[in-house]
Amino acid sequence: MDVIVENISKSFNKGKVKALNDVSFAVKKGELFGIIGPDGAGKTTLFRILTTLLLADDGTASVNGSDVIEDYKAIRNKVGYMPGKFSLYQDLTVEENLTFFASIFKTTVEENYKLIEDIYVQLEPFKNRRAGKLSGGMKQKLALCCALIHRPEVLFLDEPTTGVDAVSRKEFWEMLKRLKKEGITILVSTPYMDEANLCERIALIQKGEILSIDTPVGITEQYPDQLYAIKSDNMSMLLKDLRKSVNVKSAYSFGEYHHIAFSENFGDNPLQTNLLEANNHTNFKMMPITATVEDCFIHLMTKPEVDEN
Amino acid sequence: MKTETVIKAVNLTKMFGDFTAVDNICFEVYKGEIFGFLGANGAGKTTAMRMLCGLSKPSSGEASIAGFDVYRETEKIKSNIGYMSQKFSLYEDLTIAENINFFGGIYGLSDKELREQSESLIEKLDLRKNANKLVGELPLGWKQKLAFSVAIIHKPSIVFLDEPTGGVDPITRRQFWDMIYDAAAGGITVFITTHYMDEAEYCNRVSMMVDGKIAALDSPANLKEQCSAATMDDVFYQLARKAKRS
């Protein structure tokens, strides 16, 4: 195991805000591991503890065989960290930033150029532009190059795709797949549930607690009910009608369709089609589907032991 | 849908030096419509939105918002629209009640209206117990729901939402959309940007900006048909991939 987290807890404001509560998991060498959860789930706090920038209140953690407290200096030399907030020097050029980060890790751009070549060629035309003047997608690529230039053993990427459009997001994940082939262990956090499928294993995290850890397929297979996708011409009315139906256990919008699950004893007319007919739903369509990671996240969030509201 | 036009842009253009950020865009948005304004990073969405909100003067072209001209009547535009974004919504170091009061006052509500609106808003969002809590202490999802309610407290004709649901948990994200539907059903036109492609499906019509131009504009169903795509994600990918600038 390359990253081991055991019973880590961290609170802020004299215990008022519990950022992480008894979190444990382990990541294998060379694995692409996703931490999936909304803002405020504790993702950044977790990354800051693992990159030795923050001390946990309780628990232990190690990265690439080094303890985050005892051997923090060793860890700093062998991890790459791309924070969620753009943290390069805005008034240095693209090339200057890269050279700077290489030199603090006592290496050169040339020595590890092969690792970043794919990404850097896209930046090369702008190498004399100040980092602060780059577009969002370009900043993200430069930040990744700077986090990689010392060829880290473990790479921490904190929400690298937040606020980034769908095309750039796809490209970014392609880059991660290539880096994985180099044997680098990658921990990446994201609030986008659809990105979960691009990871080998994922941890779903909410309010400082891990809801589930497994492969994306493993997570979706644990969804307890048969799920259906359903649509008609009036989607918002349909959702209201479904929620009125006693046999419907859950109903949520998922783009073009609503996803619904029925409670157990639903008899012959699970949908209470009379209810739907009463409201004149037209072009009604329903089909069985397999759950997505987002369905599972919603399910885990609404389980009684997690629900606080 | 044959209704009143509340946003009308004709050849709207914005240049920064020799760079054309928004390039001759033409479109109309109708009353009570949920209009998705999509595009890749750097496509010109923010610049276009700033012009529509009366915050940035166009280089050329015409546009009217709620019947007001974007060159001459920017103050009238500002008092007839609501605005919220993921980055800026409410003051974190003011309480919930103070934020409602402050924004209500800025949007020009009378003391009486303000009292009534504030009361019904706190009731509707079930924030009675927390009315004197600092907004900074609220979970993001609550904050965004409150921010949206505040953005429409003066019953504007249009509300502009710039990535309002970024990073919000899946359940709250959907509750947020329930609120959008309610606002639209009440006659408020919703103009929204998002990076979540499932949310594009919830819009009546969607426009896609590529390199400063509107590359496509139609209902989600029609866009999917035109692009022979199964999902809006595919539509976005097909259109945005052609972008020259990023």
Side-chain angles (χ1 to χ4, degrees):
Chain A
M1 287 295 170
D2 212 17
V3 176
I4 303 168
V5 177
E6 280 175 331
N7 311 106
I8 287 281
S9 292
K10 175 76 187 178
S11 59
F12 295 105
N13 283 357
K14 295 174 186 154
K16 267 203 278 181
V17 181
K18 259 205 160 126
L20 291 172
N21 189 13
D22 202 19
V23 166
S24 303
F25 65 92
V27 181
K28 290 172 217 155
K29 177 86 196 138
E31 193 171 22
L32 177 50
F33 190 88
I35 312 233
I36 320 281
D39 285 7
K43 304 187 297 293
T44 300
T45 304
L46 179 63
F47 277 15
R48 290 178 59 82
I49 289 169
L50 293 175
T51 50
T52 79
L53 299 171
L54 191 68
L55 293 173
D57 298 337
D58 270 308
T60 56
S62 70
V63 175
N64 196 237
S66 306
D67 183 88
V68 288
I69 296 171
E70 305 291 322
D71 309 318
Y72 74 93
K73 280 188 180 162
I75 290 181
R76 288 179 185 187
N77 276 315
K78 55 192 181 185
V79 304
Y81 174 42
M82 182 173 155
K85 190 169 168 268
F86 183 71
S87 303
L88 302 181
Y89 292 95
Q90 311 256 7
D91 46 2
L92 293 186
T93 65
V94 167
E95 198 174 28
E96 284 166 347
N97 263 296
L98 195 59
T99 311
F100 175 78
F101 280 94
S103 69
I104 29 174
F105 286 105
K106 300 191 173 65
T107 180
T108 58
V109 175
E110 292 71 36
E111 198 170 330
N112 293 312
Y113 187 71
K114 258 199 94 53
L115 189 60
I116 61 160
E117 189 174 4
D118 274 356
I119 313 163
Y120 194 72
V121 287
Q122 302 171 56
L123 287 168
E124 200 127 44
F126 311 102
K127 66 180 182 188
N128 295 320
R129 191 178 288 188
R130 288 184 189 198
K133 297 278 178 206
L134 293 174
S135 70
M138 289 290 171
K139 276 185 182 162
Q140 177 207 42
K141 287 184 182 117
L142 178 60
L144 183 60
C145 287
C146 291
L148 282 169
I149 196 59
H150 58 298
R151 190 172 274 275
E153 299 286 336
V154 185
L155 184 61
F156 292 92
L157 305 170
D158 193 5
E159 296 204 20
T161 56
T162 290
V164 173
D165 70 65
V167 174
S168 309
R169 276 167 56 188
K170 272 203 180 97
E171 286 175 6
F172 195 82
W173 280 94
E174 290 300 319
M175 287 189 271
L176 293 192
K177 270 191 223 156
R178 287 197 294 270
L179 287 174
K180 193 193 128 48
K181 288 198 187 116
E182 299 278 334
I184 298 173
T185 306
I186 304 174
L187 275 79
V188 56
S189 73
T190 178
Y192 295 107
M193 305 276 153
D194 56 341
E195 292 183 343
N197 294 319
L198 304 167
C199 304
E200 285 169 283
R201 282 194 310 142
I202 51 175
L204 302 183
I205 185 169
Q206 159 85 352
K207 292 182 183 164
E209 299 195 16
I210 290 188
L211 303 173
S212 189
I213 302 178
D214 208 327
T215 59
V217 172
I219 297 248
T220 52
E221 278 174 355
Q222 282 166 34
Y223 193 84
D225 305 302
Q226 173 61 50
L227 207 59
Y228 294 85
I230 185 167
K231 73 168 177 177
S232 79
D233 286 335
N234 187 340
M235 291 300 278
S236 78
M237 174 74 85
L238 180 62
L239 190 63
K240 283 188 180 131
D241 287 345
L242 290 170
R243 286 183 173 159
K244 267 187 244 158
S245 178
V246 285
N247 297 321
V248 172
K249 191 168 157 187
S250 72
Y252 291 98
S253 309
F254 271 79
E256 188 183 358
Y257 290 86
H258 298 320
H259 288 186
I260 62 169
F262 296 107
S263 40
E264 264 169 81
N265 303 309
F266 55 67
D268 305 338
N269 187 8
L271 248 183
Q272 290 188 309
T273 34
N274 47 341
L275 181 80
L276 300 180
E277 279 157 13
N279 276 314
N280 295 318
H281 282 288
T282 45
N283 288 323
F284 182 79
K285 193 174 162 192
M286 181 166 104
M287 58 192 175
I289 51 160
T290 48
T292 65
V293 170
E294 192 157 358
D295 288 301
C296 297
F297 200 97
I298 290 177
H299 169 71
L300 293 165
M301 274 179 80
T302 48
K303 265 165 90 171
E305 59 264 40
V306 188
D307 196 358
E308 283 169 30
N309 297 322
Chain B
M1 188 157 44
K2 178 70 195 157
T3 37
E4 195 185 326
T5 300
V6 291
I7 299 178
K8 187 178 170 76
V10 182
N11 296 328
L12 195 66
T13 299
K14 180 78 185 187
M15 316 266 302
F16 295 108
D18 57 3
F19 177 72
T20 310
V22 175
D23 192 356
N24 277 287
I25 59 171
C26 300
F27 67 100
E28 290 185 356
V29 182
Y30 310 113
K31 184 176 161 63
E33 190 173 32
I34 302 173
F35 189 86
F37 196 60
L38 309 187
N41 299 115
K45 295 192 303 288
T46 304
T47 307
M49 240 169 133
R50 286 178 55 81
M51 288 192 282
L52 298 176
C53 292
L55 298 171
S56 164
K57 204 174 145 194
S59 306
S60 62
E62 283 159 41
S64 70
I65 310 302
F68 299 111
D69 182 82
V70 288
Y71 291 94
R72 297 185 311 274
E73 297 172 303
T74 52
E75 289 313 307
K76 282 192 180 132
I77 290 175
K78 285 177 205 162
S79 56
N80 279 281
I81 62 170
Y83 175 84
M84 81 163 272
S85 75
Q86 185 198 3
K87 288 176 197 100
F88 176 78
S89 49
L90 299 168
Y91 289 98
E92 304 250 310
D93 46 2
L94 293 183
T95 67
I96 292 169
E98 285 167 344
N99 265 291
I100 296 175
N101 235 313
F102 176 76
F103 282 99
I106 286 207
Y107 283 132
L109 297 191
S110 69
D111 284 352
K112 182 165 169 284
E113 287 171 320
L114 199 51
R115 260 196 314 276
E116 286 166 8
Q117 286 292 330
S118 165
E119 227 10 60
S120 82
L121 208 157
I122 286 173
E123 198 62 45
K124 199 175 82 190
L125 293 176
D126 201 15
L127 286 169
R128 174 78 53 215
K129 274 188 297 192
N130 297 313
N132 293 314
K133 250 194 187 172
L134 295 182
V135 161
E137 292 170 30
L138 287 178
L140 176 77
W142 281 41
K143 215 185 288 179
Q144 296 305 76
K145 283 196 272 183
L146 176 63
F148 178 65
S149 306
V150 168
I152 57 170
I153 197 166
H154 56 308
K155 303 200 172 67
S157 20
I158 307 157
V159 63
F160 289 88
L161 306 172
D162 194 2
E163 284 181 45
T165 55
V168 172
D169 74 66
I171 292 181
T172 314
R173 198 154 73 80
R174 286 167 174 80
Q175 290 169 347
F176 194 92
W177 271 92
D178 289 342
M179 295 175 70
I180 290 179
Y181 277 117
D182 286 346
I188 297 179
T189 304
V190 179
F191 190 95
I192 183 169
T193 73
T194 179
H195 283 307
Y196 291 98
M197 285 305 125
D198 59 333
E199 296 187 348
E201 294 276 2
Y202 307 150
C203 301
N204 299 115
R205 288 189 306 146
V206 167
S207 75
M208 265 287 307
M209 267 188 96
V210 178
D211 289 345
K213 296 191 176 74
I214 291 186
L217 195 171
D218 214 324
S219 67
N222 289 346
L223 286 176
K224 281 184 285 185
E225 204 184 306
Q226 286 157 24
C227 295
S228 312
T231 62
M232 281 303 287
D233 202 45
D234 291 340
V235 172
F236 185 92
Y237 194 68
Q238 282 187 33
L239 293 167
R241 201 177 43 182
K242 294 174 190 151
K244 303 269 189 311
R245 67 196 205 204
S246 64

